[in-house]
Amino acid sequence: MASSPTHSKRLTKPFSLATFLVIVSCCTHLTLAAREVAGDDKMMRERYEKWMEEHGQAYKDSTEKARRFEVFKSNAHFIDSYNAAAGPGGNSLTTNKFADLTEAEFRSIYIRGIPKTVSPPGTGFKYGAVSLSDVPASIDWREKGAVASVKDQYQCACCWAFTAVAAVEGIHQIRTGNLVSLSEQQLVDCSTGTNDEGCNARDMDKAFQYILDSGGLTTEQAYGYEGHQGTCRASGKPIAATIRGFQDVPPRNETALMLAVAHQPVSVGLDGGNKVMTYFSGTGIYGAAGEPCTTDLNHAMTIVGYGTDEHGTKYWLMKNSWGSGWGDNGYLKIARDVVSNTGLCGLTLQASYPVA
Ligand SMILES: *[C@@H]1O[C@H](CO)[C@@H](O)[C@H](O)[C@H]1NC(C)=O
């Protein structure tokens, strides 16, 4: 460069003060920006190391770790800018255990747990004749002892089994007074359909049908969760809960859904696949600040209550199966009566409950 004739020629030209100032301010600016990027990267690395430690995360080699760091960084930037835009007191996201997965990876692991179908017309709705004035304005089945502690499906897309079990745990406690943690693994191993649907899309009604046909579910303790489909080992294990049948809540009707949830926890299909929901945290209501959702059913959760917050925003209380580090200790409040017909995230489209 220094030897280029153009350059030497220019150097001989006298600088005006203005040019000098422009150059100085430009270069100072560049240096600062470069320093900020370097500092940001260092802070991000520290944040990543801390996250890895918190989540007990380890990788097979440094190449994989470097790749995961880039994914983490991108997710952290998304989360930080979302939180900055939401402002203090707004709904917030956090770098939870999913923070080193790309959106495509997250979806392929977790978001294919139910078939994308709307419930066919059901076989009766026992709560249809209940008057809205006869149900409470709010209910939280956790307070009534009908909800077992939050579980984790790990990397098996069997949300259908977790929500079916949660609904049976609920009605079993309501009927008997005993809260017993029941076995998802029994469903994953034994209610698999013809396509080995253990860790894949399966309808909750098929889980209820299996529980009905097989005579009941055993306990979590007797048949613990393994996170993958294996051979059915239910035979000889003690039956801890039985059902007499199951019904679908008439779809596209949040009033009907409320009548059902007023009586017991209900399994629902919904869209659980967007990034905002993946990282949602805290006690805010999903959807109250325009959080996105489609009606493409791909995940299932259990509605364990409903209510209205201090701002008058109505919500459903959802129990998920992504561990207690997700959402609000494993739960999520999601806006109620805001999207007519389908409900937010399509949660009225495939709702059902066991009858016991
Ligand atoms: C919604 O469900 C309730 C309770 O079953 C029922 O009374 C009402 O007619 C339903 N609404 C529609 C639009 O179907």
Side-chain angles (χ1 to χ4, degrees):
M1 263 294 215
S3 63
S4 100
T6 339
H7 195 79
S8 354
K9 204 196 262 170
R10 214 195 286 149
L11 272 182
T12 58
K13 275 189 186 167
F15 280 108
S16 73
L17 181 60
T19 314
F20 177 74
L21 284 179
V22 164
I23 289 170
V24 167
S25 76
C26 151
C27 295
T28 315
H29 196 79
L30 278 180
T31 315
L32 273 181
R35 236 186 258 146
E36 265 165 32
V37 168
D40 184 53
D41 211 57
K42 185 163 177 283
M43 274 167 61
M44 192 59 88
R45 261 177 209 289
E46 282 166 13
R47 186 169 162 188
Y48 183 53
E49 293 292 340
K50 204 167 149 239
W51 176 88
M52 279 183 66
E53 205 176 301
E54 268 169 27
H55 295 274
Q57 187 59 273
Y59 301 106
K60 64 175 176 7
D61 56 36
S62 58
T63 315
E64 177 66 3
K65 187 176 168 187
R67 203 170 78 79
R68 289 293 151 197
F69 173 60
E70 291 306 315
V71 176
F72 177 88
K73 196 159 76 173
S74 152
N75 284 329
H77 281 143
F78 171 80
I79 287 162
D80 293 350
S81 47
Y82 187 94
N83 291 344
N91 286 337
S92 61
L93 312 185
T94 190
T95 47
N96 59 23
K97 69 169 178 177
F98 304 126
D100 69 344
L101 296 175
T102 65
E103 193 173 357
E105 286 168 336
F106 178 80
R107 292 187 70 94
S108 82
I109 297 168
Y110 295 93
I111 299 301
R112 50 189 177 82
I114 65 167
K116 299 175 190 306
T117 52
V118 173
S119 282
T123 53
F125 177 48
K126 63 186 285 201
Y127 303 121
V130 176
S131 162
L132 206 51
S133 57
D134 288 338
V135 302
S138 69
I139 194 161
D140 182 343
W141 284 108
R142 295 175 301 185
E143 289 167 1
K144 299 182 181 295
V147 184
S149 55
V150 170
K151 304 184 190 184
D152 195 331
Q153 68 186 68
Y154 298 103
Q155 299 202 345
C156 164
C158 58
C159 56
W160 60 271
F162 278 84
T163 185
V165 163
V168 175
E169 287 167 346
I171 194 63
H172 182 72
Q173 191 277 343
I174 291 163
R175 289 284 172 269
T176 67
N178 298 321
L179 179 62
V180 185
S181 183
L182 301 170
S183 173
E184 292 81 18
Q185 192 64 41
Q186 183 180 354
L187 292 176
V188 170
D189 291 345
C190 311
S191 174
T192 64
T194 45
N195 298 318
D196 279 349
E197 290 154 5
C199 289
N200 225 321
R202 191 156 170 80
D203 188 331
M204 287 79 82
D205 282 358
K206 291 188 174 149
F208 295 138
Q209 186 69 56
Y210 162 83
I211 298 167
L212 190 61
D213 295 345
S214 68
L217 280 180
T218 190
T219 61
E220 187 82 68
Q221 202 179 8
Y223 201 160
Y225 188 61
E226 292 168 358
H228 54 85
Q229 185 186 327
T231 49
C232 179
R233 286 157 290 145
S235 160
K237 292 193 164 61
I239 298 289
T242 57
I243 62 172
R244 290 189 290 118
F246 57 92
Q247 291 182 330
D248 294 333
V249 179
R252 305 182 184 278
N253 186 334
E254 283 186 279
T255 304
L257 191 52
M258 182 176 172
L259 296 179
V261 176
H263 292 89
Q264 63 182 104
V266 171
S267 295
V268 297
L270 77 168
D271 171 25
N274 81 76
K275 243 172 137 167
V276 177
M277 191 181 282
T278 305
Y279 300 112
F280 204 77
S281 75
T283 57
I285 298 176
Y286 190 93
E291 285 77 12
C293 232
T294 73
T295 57
D296 176 23
L297 307 181
N298 49 39
H299 185 53
M301 298 190 199
T302 314
I303 306 189
V304 296
Y306 59 80
T308 306
D309 81 350
E310 66 276 20
H311 309 295
T313 307
K314 294 194 271 181
Y315 63 83
W316 296 109
L317 177 62
M318 319 286 291
K319 183 190 190 193
N320 202 357
S321 50
W322 291 345
S324 56
W326 175 84
D328 178 18
N329 295 305
Y331 292 87
L332 174 74
K333 285 182 181 139
I334 183 164
R336 177 165 62 96
D337 288 340
V338 290
V339 180
S340 66
N341 209 0
T342 61
L344 188 61
C345 306
L347 59 72
T348 66
L349 297 176
Q350 204 190 108
S352 59
Y353 55 88
V355 176

